[in-house]
Amino acid sequence: MTVKSSLLFAYRLVFPRTDKSSSARRSLSGALVCIGISLVPLIVVLTVSNGMIQGMTERIIGLSSSHLEAFIPRMADEASSSAKLEAFASYMAETEGVTAAYPEVNAAALAAGSSYRTGVQVRAVQPEIFFCNNSFRSLLKIVAGSYENFKSGTKSAVVGQKTAELLGITQGSSFRIITAAAGKDGNIYPRTALFTVAAVVSSGYQELDSMWVFIPLDTSYSVIKPGTGQYCVLMETADAFSPDIVRIQRKCEDAAGYSASIYRWDELNQSEYENFSSTKVMLVFIMLLIVLVASVNISSSLVMLVMERRREIAIMKSLGGTSGGITFSFLLTGMAAGCGGVFIGLPFGLACAVNVNKIVHFLEKVVNSAADFVYLLEGHSPSAFIHINLMDPAYYLTEIPVTVPFKDLAVIVISTIFLSLVMSVIPAYKAGREKPLETLRKV
């Protein structure tokens, strides 16, 4: 039995000449559709998780730890004044592989508005970082105000959106930052400073920026007692994911000497990055199980097709058809069903993935409209209704970055076709083992 005849038989199994109704072909078509439907959520989950992880990682690297971060001992001379800290940052910026360096002082503090208090992370930075740093410029969205009033030597502040909402402040509002300072008697006393809000910002990832309060670097030394904050220099390279970053880290360690300890972003955020990766793997694994279940339908459909075509198989074998040729034909039929499922599911999945933000917003409107209607039926006041967020901004990005992972999609396509082929092996083998004499006697 030639390959050409096996291909022709496989073609006739999928597209028979007769219009006679066939339960097996209907079952095979159903299996094809099931595979296509199961691929849609898999593609959406893969695209969304990739976009989420990329967006979160981009914000963690660009706005928090940078590519490399130098931690300076609190009592070191480089941390004794803003001028010396800036000079050390300029010195580190000259290291081979470092494209920019920004000094920063971090400290935990208490922020107090007119009627509410909350813990914050004070980040003292140079005002020009909001204009010179690409990540700060592109990833931080101004909700209210502007950076123009955030100047050196002023008691101005740039506040994270969540903190601003809690304190009930906006552009032009005043609030207090309360830090701890040791007195001459050794006791701890609060140190209070009044600041004016220059701008309210959001990175789109509330878990990262909810407690941020930016103040000018030189102002921080009058607010944060020297030796109580964390003194560091954020350093950027050409590519945070380049293997060359390890070499640059060593160069920076040599340049800093005993003045600072240098860490890469993946060392500082190892737990978050591993959590992102493991979550993505688990989601994709669950979706692949759905595709596997859908592929099982191919096996049952081919069993029915073998039973329906036993007479044709017997006649072909009587005319010289081989077991291997028959088996090959049914394997091709199962694989064709898998390919058909891919051709159905892939475009629909990509269409849903590309428009996932619109779909989420639409579903959110529907859910809130239904919940609001039920709320009114129960006799509650409309003003007391709390908006329902399908993507809670406290844990997710407010806007999902859509990036199509073509390499991952290629793996999914190949895996789906391979699963379809594997599920076709047993019924195809049984079709090849059919005995023509026994079959023809029963006809």
Side-chain angles (χ1 to χ4, degrees), residues 261-277:
S261 300
I262 313 297
Y263 295 93
R264 299 189 310 274
W265 71 268
D266 55 332
E267 293 175 322
L268 295 171
N269 306 287
Q270 184 177 4
S271 58
E272 290 90 344
Y273 196 63
E274 288 181 354
N275 182 43
F276 292 157
S277 300

Side-chain angles (χ1 to χ4, degrees), residues 1 3-17 25 28 305 309 328-334 336:
M1 189 173 181
V3 174
K4 184 177 179 180
S5 58
S6 295
L7 290 171
L8 180 60
F9 183 46
Y11 178 79
R12 290 305 175 196
L13 288 173
V14 180
F15 304 105
R17 287 179 177 177
R25 278 193 291 117
L28 194 63
L305 192 62
R309 296 301 185 98
F328 183 56
S329 296
F330 279 91
L331 284 174
L332 288 176
T333 303

Side-chain angles (χ1 to χ4, degrees), residues 135-306:
S135 297
F136 275 73
R137 189 172 62 248
S138 60
L139 298 178
L140 278 181
K141 176 185 175 184
I142 297 178
V143 179
S146 70
Y147 298 132
E148 299 300 327
N149 294 326
F150 187 75
K151 300 175 181 177
S152 297
T154 62
K155 290 290 183 70
S156 58
V158 174
V159 185
Q161 184 178 11
K162 182 63 177 179
T163 297
E165 290 174 356
L166 290 173
L167 298 179
I169 56 178
T170 185
Q171 179 197 11
S173 302
S174 297
F175 71 103
R176 289 171 293 159
I177 291 180
I178 305 169
T179 57
K184 294 180 180 180
D185 56 1
N187 294 323
I188 302 298
Y189 297 98
R191 174 180 287 185
T192 304
L194 188 66
F195 281 83
T196 302
V197 179
V200 177
V201 296
S202 172
S203 69
Y205 183 27
Q206 196 177 101
E207 188 175 355
L208 179 67
D209 65 18
S210 61
M211 297 176 63
W212 286 352
V213 173
F214 295 96
I215 64 174
L217 182 65
D218 52 2
T219 304
S220 68
Y221 279 80
S222 63
V223 178
I224 303 169
K225 182 177 174 59
T228 61
Q230 185 180 72
Y231 304 86
C232 56
V233 174
L234 307 179
M235 294 175 286
E236 291 188 338
T237 63
D239 183 7
F241 296 91
S242 171
D244 197 43
I245 196 171
V246 177
R247 183 188 63 83
I248 299 173
Q249 180 188 20
R250 291 173 183 157
K251 289 278 187 182
C252 291
E253 288 173 343
D254 293 338
Y258 294 103
S259 299
S261 300
I262 313 297
Y263 295 93
R264 299 189 310 274
W265 71 268
D266 55 332
E267 293 175 322
L268 295 171
N269 306 287
Q270 184 177 4
S271 58
E272 290 90 344
Y273 196 63
E274 288 181 354
N275 182 43
F276 292 157
S277 300
S278 59
T279 301
K280 174 188 172 182
V281 170
M282 184 58 66
L283 287 172
V284 173
F285 176 71
I286 293 171
M287 294 297 107
L288 278 174
L289 288 179
I290 298 174
V291 177
L292 178 61
V293 172
S295 300
V296 172
N297 292 331
I298 292 179
S299 181
S300 58
S301 301
L302 287 181
V303 169
M304 294 176 64
L305 192 62
V306 170

